[in-house]
Amino acid sequence: MKKPLIFLFVLFIQFVNSQELALVKKNGKIGYISKDGNFKIEPQYKSAKSFSEGLAAVEDNGKWGFIDVKGTWVIPATFKDTKEFNSGIAVVQKDKDWVYINTKGEVQTPPPTEKLFDFNDGVAFIRQGKKVGLINSKMAIVLEPKYDQIKSFENGYARVENNKKWGIINTSGKELVEPVYDEIGNYFKNTTWARKDKTFGLVSSGNFIVVDGADKIWDFETQDLTYARKGGKIGFIDIKGNWTILPIYDKAKAFSKNLAPVCIGSKWGYINPKADFIIPPTYSDAEVFSTNGLAPVKEKNWGFINESGKLVIPTQYGITANSFVIALFVQQDKGFIDGIARVKNEGKWGFLRPDGTVLSNQWFENAELFSKSKERNTVSEVAAEKPKAETKPTAKSETKPATKTATKPVAKKKK
């Protein structure tokens, strides 16, 4: 009879923690905080950029490289300049040339192109002669250069131009709207606004639907209503091109949470889809509601109201980005994003919670928006097992692959 054996059962599990970090500047040095208000990476860098896809570009002795969320160097600081990672690829300046690298720091060679462009939504532009096409992150051509221009992708769609006429493609290069329009908007629920000569309308299923009297239409955002201008006044149209709210306002912004900021004279308030004023026009400026039901409003400075119009955070803050912030602020950035709002008070920047308290009660010389990052962890479990008699023991191992959290990128064209 064989002597019982004890063997080890080893289980390796690798997983990814997704968290959000914000770049902040304190006492002249840059570090990164998490949403609990604690420093994930203590301020120590003279120059640095926000995290993207788990990596942040930081400067060391005049050269740039990339660190992970623990502050560990992943790609050594050997570059003259860097862009952020997107779709697993970053544009970096190596010596005098701009090149692509992957997250291991390995140089990637694209098809022939006169200029390198940042990746977004898994694709990047290539330019050959006067025409522009697309490549994917494997450096394979997705769309042969055929357009005069391709604008940045938004939610998987981009505006394209040929012979001064505009259309829309997706990331696979498929033409969704033929480039026959003099001007075109974003792509929302298979619909876009467009202009033919001096006529504005909506394009849906290949059909051009004229919007009566419109001389300008703005992009659809989160609801099936957008604002348009007629006779110098602003109203709202639906996704079929019908005027659902008459053009009687001097200014307007997008609907969100079934409320839209509108301006009469010099005062802003909020209407519902029936054009009823839910919040009277009393503010000098107003922005759209965030998903948490709060909207920035301005008297002399900015504060926040709830959907019933109650001022829940006093109007004592600034919300506009300064020159330190690399990314330009767009409309939806001026408010709460995933439960945090970036504000300025007495020359310092901080982050507000919805209850009006300041994250970790700290103010910084500068701060950028929170960006999602990834932290990889490996757990090893060792267990003893006694096999049955006459059974030959065999070692077992199981590996669970890491899961990746997708981030929504913002395309930037390299100048």
Side-chain angles (χ1 to χ4, degrees):
M1 182 176 179
K2 294 183 179 180
K3 185 178 180 181
L5 298 175
I6 301 295
F7 73 95
L8 297 180
F9 176 85
V10 183
L11 176 66
F12 295 98
I13 301 178
Q14 186 180 35
F15 58 92
V16 175
N17 283 337
S18 180
Q19 58 182 317
E20 294 183 75
L21 299 180
L23 180 155
V24 296
K25 189 174 184 181
K26 185 176 183 179
N27 298 325
K29 297 292 185 180
I30 294 173
Y32 299 86
I33 62 170
S34 57
K35 280 194 170 180
D36 61 9
N38 296 318
F39 273 101
K40 185 72 175 178
I41 301 174
E42 292 290 334
Q44 57 190 283
Y45 306 107
K46 180 180 179 181
S47 299
K49 301 178 183 181
S50 290
F51 270 91
S52 177
E53 299 189 352
L55 297 173
V58 298
E59 183 263 343
D60 181 39
N61 292 322
K63 295 290 186 178
W64 288 83
F66 292 86
I67 59 169
D68 62 18
V69 296
K70 294 180 179 179
T72 304
W73 286 97
V74 175
I75 300 174
T78 59
F79 305 111
K80 186 176 180 180
D81 199 0
T82 64
K83 299 289 196 72
E84 67 180 19
F85 271 95
N86 195 304
S87 310
I89 302 292
V91 182
V92 299
Q93 189 175 8
K94 189 175 183 181
D95 299 322
K96 294 182 179 181
D97 298 321
W98 289 90
V99 298
Y100 286 126
I101 61 169
N102 61 17
T103 54
K104 296 179 181 179
E106 300 167 335
V107 174
Q108 306 294 293
T109 304
T113 178
E114 295 175 6
K115 186 184 292 186
L116 294 187
F117 299 85
D118 289 337
F119 271 82
N120 175 38
D121 278 1
V123 294
F125 309 143
I126 55 170
R127 177 177 291 280
Q128 296 176 0
K130 295 182 178 180
K131 295 296 182 178
V132 183
L134 300 174
I135 59 172
N136 61 24
S137 58
K138 295 180 180 179
M139 302 295 139
I141 293 178
V142 174
L143 173 68
E144 293 286 349
K146 60 180 287 188
Y147 295 106
D148 296 335
Q149 287 190 71
I150 303 177
K151 294 294 186 179
S152 297
F153 277 87
E154 299 176 31
N155 301 317
Y157 306 102
R159 311 167 205 220
V160 295
E161 183 254 330
N162 254 346
N163 301 317
K164 298 183 179 180
K165 298 294 183 180
W166 291 88
I168 289 177
I169 62 170
N170 61 18
T171 53
S172 65
K174 181 180 179 181
E175 207 167 81
L176 304 176
V177 178
E178 186 181 357
V180 296
Y181 300 98
D182 296 291
E183 194 176 353
I184 204 163
N186 69 338
Y187 202 61
F188 178 83
K189 294 185 177 180
N190 302 317
T191 301
T192 182
W193 65 263
R195 176 175 65 86
K196 266 189 173 183
D197 296 324
K198 295 182 180 180
T199 303
F200 280 81
L202 301 184
V203 181
S204 181
S205 300
N207 298 315
F208 182 68
I209 305 165
V210 175
V211 175
D212 179 45
D215 57 30
K216 185 173 178 60
I217 302 174
W218 281 264
D219 286 346
F220 286 92
E221 297 289 344
T222 60
Q223 296 189 203
D224 293 358
L225 293 172
T226 192
Y227 46 114
R229 187 177 66 200
K230 179 180 180 180
K233 295 290 186 178
I234 308 296
F236 290 82
I237 60 172
D238 63 19
I239 203 165
K240 295 181 179 180
N242 302 309
W243 287 98
T244 59
I245 298 177
L246 294 177
I248 61 173
Y249 308 103
D250 295 302
K251 298 177 182 178
K253 297 175 184 178
F255 265 95
S256 177
K257 308 289 285 185
N258 281 323
L259 292 168
V262 295
C263 180
I264 295 180
S266 62
K267 297 297 182 181
W268 287 82
Y270 292 80
I271 59 172
N272 65 15
K274 295 181 179 180
D276 300 322
F277 266 106
I278 304 302
I279 301 165
T282 56
Y283 296 103
S284 62
D285 203 352
E287 291 292 341
V288 299
F289 274 87
S290 299
T291 55
N292 70 344
L294 297 180
V297 292
K298 185 178 183 181
E299 291 176 324
K300 183 178 179 181
N301 292 305
W302 290 88
F304 295 83
I305 59 172
N306 62 20
E307 294 172 61
S308 64
K310 181 181 178 181
L311 189 67
V312 296
I313 297 176
T315 53
Q316 65 185 58
Y317 300 106
I319 62 172
T320 304
N322 62 1
S323 59
F324 169 78
V325 180
I326 297 171
L328 295 178
F329 270 52
V330 293
Q331 180 170 291
Q332 61 266 32
D333 292 329
K334 297 178 180 178
F336 280 88
I337 304 172
D338 297 329
I340 297 290
R342 176 185 177 275
V343 296
K344 189 176 185 179
N345 186 39
E346 296 181 352
K348 298 284 187 177
W349 290 92
F351 300 96
L352 289 182
R353 297 187 180 96
D355 62 3
T357 59
V358 178
L359 186 66
S360 71
N361 198 30
Q362 288 195 79
W363 293 93
F364 304 99
E365 295 153 32
N366 280 304
E368 292 193 10
L369 299 174
F370 277 88
S371 57
K372 290 185 178 180
S373 305
K374 302 172 186 176
E375 179 178 357
R376 299 182 184 275
N377 296 279
T378 302
V379 175
S380 300
E381 180 181 337
V382 182
E385 180 178 337
K386 183 177 180 180
K388 295 178 181 179
E390 305 294 340
T391 302
K392 183 179 180 180
T394 57
K396 299 180 181 179
S397 65
E398 178 183 349
T399 302
K400 185 177 181 180
T403 57
K404 295 184 178 180
T405 302
T407 59
K408 182 181 178 182
V410 178
K412 296 178 184 176
K413 181 178 176 181
K414 181 193 172 293
K415 302 294 185 184

